[in-house]
């Protein structure tokens, strides 16, 4: 955890890798995510077979160097820490790829302990039998 999806126009493997590393480094620096805790899907769209759609909402001019970053993580970070991760992602993406910060759109989606399985069909953060007093596992 967290689980990160990055979508951008262009399929340059070096840029995709730099985007993924920038986001991972920002998560480590601002949210204390362990460096080895890296689960990412990096997708470069060719603009023909697959593409991205965007506008200038809310008054932010964008161009084809746009990067969408969708992060799913367990709930619990306050607004200050979330703002810090947005800012650091934009800074590192700019430093490492030249992508203007205005072109970095980040979303966070929070969930709970039982919403994760890292393998073996188990909910490692919420094993069976762990829950509110008197509750039966489902």
């Amino acid at each position: 955890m967290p689980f990160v999806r990055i979508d951008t126009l262009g399929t340059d493997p070096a840029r995709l890798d730099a985007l993924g590393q920038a986001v991972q480094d920002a998560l480590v620096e601002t949210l204390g995510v362990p460096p080895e805790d890296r689960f990412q899907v990096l997708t470069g769209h060719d603009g023909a077979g697959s593409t991205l759609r965007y506008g200038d909402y809310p008054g932010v001019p964008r161009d084809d160097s746009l990067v969408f970053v969708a992060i799913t993580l367990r709930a619990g970070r306050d607004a200050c820490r979330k703002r810090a991760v947005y800012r650091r992602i934009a800074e590192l993406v700019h430093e490492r790829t030249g992508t203007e910060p205005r072109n970095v759109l980040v979303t966070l989606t929070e969930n709970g302990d039982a919403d994760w399985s890292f393998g073996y069909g188990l909910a490692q953060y919420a094993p069976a039998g762990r829950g509110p007093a008197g509750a039966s596992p489902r």
Side-chain angles (χ1 to χ4, degrees), residues 60 87 89-91 93-95 98-105:
V60 177
R87 186 172 34 256
I89 288 170
E91 291 169 352
V93 165
H94 183 244
E95 287 175 17
T99 302
E100 292 293 327
R102 66 185 169 82
N103 279 314
V104 180
L105 185 147

Side-chain angles (χ1 to χ4, degrees), residues 108-128:
L108 293 179
T109 303
E110 297 180 314
N111 60 22
D113 290 348
D115 297 315
W116 294 88
S117 174
F118 293 96
Y120 300 108
L122 302 173
Q124 285 86 350
Y125 288 150

Side-chain angles (χ1 to χ4, degrees), residues 63-108:
D63 59 41
D64 283 350
S65 66
L66 179 71
V67 178
F68 290 146
V69 180
I71 303 169
T72 303
L73 70 169
R74 290 190 300 166
R77 278 73 174 199
D78 63 24
C80 184
R81 291 186 74 185
K82 291 176 184 180
R83 284 190 294 271
V85 77
Y86 302 147
R87 186 172 34 256
R88 192 64 178 140
I89 288 170
E91 291 169 352
L92 291 175
V93 165
H94 183 244
E95 287 175 17
R96 298 176 186 182
T97 70
T99 302
E100 292 293 327
R102 66 185 169 82
N103 279 314
V104 180
L105 185 147
V106 182
T107 64
L108 293 179

